Amino acid sequence: MQPRFFLLAIATLMTAETAFADHMVFQSPSSQSNVWQGYWTSPYLVTDQSVPPSGELLTVYCLDFNHEVAPPNSWDATIRPLDPGDVSLFQYGQSADAWQHYAAAAWLFQQIQALPLNPSLLETEYQVAAWKLFAVDSHKDELNLGITNTVGTFEADVTKLYTDALLAGSSTKTEPGWFVVTTDPAWAAENQNGVPVQEFLIHQDPPPVPEPAAILLLGTVAGLLGLRLRSGRPAQFR
């Protein structure tokens, strides 16, 4: 586990409101990405420039078909645990059945992580099913056209994965190890007329739960080192 995510996991034990406000730079698709109907699919590589000394490279999964980001775009974002207590702070947190949809997306991306590297459409089917979870009316036609134009059993497979993911999400109470990267609204207002970049999920395996004395020690060390644990306040771009 990277140091940042270890600390985030520890902080989550102490407060449900923990969030990082970081400067992100989109780098490239990853070796597992595919091109589908002219779109690169997850996972992608993003650098969190706020991690000293020279940034941290993260593997991210896109749940958002409604917005765009591409290399070398950069933006300010918060990183929050994927938790029902924080769902209202996510980009689509005010939509109906928001938690079910975010949990469903995590379920789909978890399946991608388990897939072998190959040029098949299988990874793409999981990605498109995740995009369907959050596609808004103005983008549904475009997404559905791409689905119907893909040969073979793609449309049926995506529909089944979409249904299976919602079923899994409906019974999920928490998603340990998953984090949500959400555009800072203040940055979007200043730099993009209020339009956010895409929202992403990140997965990191949680560390073992430390003993209470270890939690206290880590909190003390974090305070002494001035580590940037912030409570729900997105940083400004400048």
Side-chain angles (χ1 to χ4, degrees):
M1 167 172 288
Q2 298 293 338
R4 156 142 322 215
F5 284 97
F6 177 79
L7 289 168
L8 181 55
I10 298 303
T12 304
L13 293 173
M14 296 186 285
T15 171
E17 295 298 323
T18 297
F20 289 112
D22 291 346
H23 187 62
M24 318 298 291
V25 180
F26 194 96
Q27 298 293 340
S28 67
S30 74
S31 60
Q32 200 176 0
S33 301
N34 289 309
V35 176
W36 170 79
Q37 298 293 333
Y39 304 101
W40 281 103
T41 61
S42 298
Y44 314 112
L45 300 177
V46 170
T47 300
D48 183 346
Q49 296 284 51
S50 301
V51 180
S54 57
E56 178 183 358
L57 188 65
L58 304 173
T59 299
V60 301
Y61 297 83
C62 178
L63 57 83
D64 185 359
F65 189 74
N66 310 308
H67 301 98
E68 298 180 2
V69 65
N73 290 171
S74 63
W75 71 102
D76 276 12
T78 54
I79 301 176
R80 294 185 174 90
L82 179 53
D83 183 87
D86 286 334
V87 71
S88 64
L89 302 173
F90 303 155
Q91 196 153 289
Y92 299 100
Q94 302 300 321
S95 59
D97 302 315
W99 171 251
Q100 180 187 10
H101 283 72
Y102 277 96
W107 182 88
L108 288 164
F109 294 143
Q110 190 78 57
Q111 313 311 308
I112 291 178
Q113 289 185 319
L115 293 175
L117 294 176
N118 61 62
S120 72
L121 286 174
L122 188 57
E123 174 270 333
T124 304
E125 294 170 350
Y126 288 96
Q127 170 66 90
V128 175
W131 280 337
K132 275 178 64 68
L133 291 167
F134 297 94
V136 298
D137 290 344
S138 59
H139 287 78
K140 282 181 180 178
D141 288 346
E142 181 181 0
L143 181 61
N144 289 333
L145 181 62
I147 293 171
T148 57
N149 285 342
T150 305
V151 298
T153 62
F154 187 85
E155 183 173 7
D157 293 343
V158 167
T159 299
K160 184 179 187 306
L161 286 172
Y162 176 83
T163 302
D164 290 349
L166 284 176
L167 181 61
S170 68
S171 61
T172 301
K173 304 304 180 185
T174 185
E175 281 289 358
W178 284 97
F179 300 86
V180 185
V181 182
T182 306
T183 305
D184 172 10
W187 178 90
E190 182 177 351
N191 295 275
Q192 295 199 155
N193 295 319
V195 179
V197 303
Q198 290 168 318
E199 191 170 52
F200 299 95
L201 296 188
I202 305 172
H203 182 263
Q204 296 286 334
D205 291 326
V209 176
E211 296 296 325
I215 295 176
L216 179 60
L217 177 60
L218 282 167
T220 302
V221 172
L224 291 173
L225 294 177
L227 293 173
R228 301 176 313 104
L229 298 182
R230 302 180 183 176
S231 179
R233 292 197 304 273
Q236 298 300 310
F237 185 68
R238 303 185 204 284

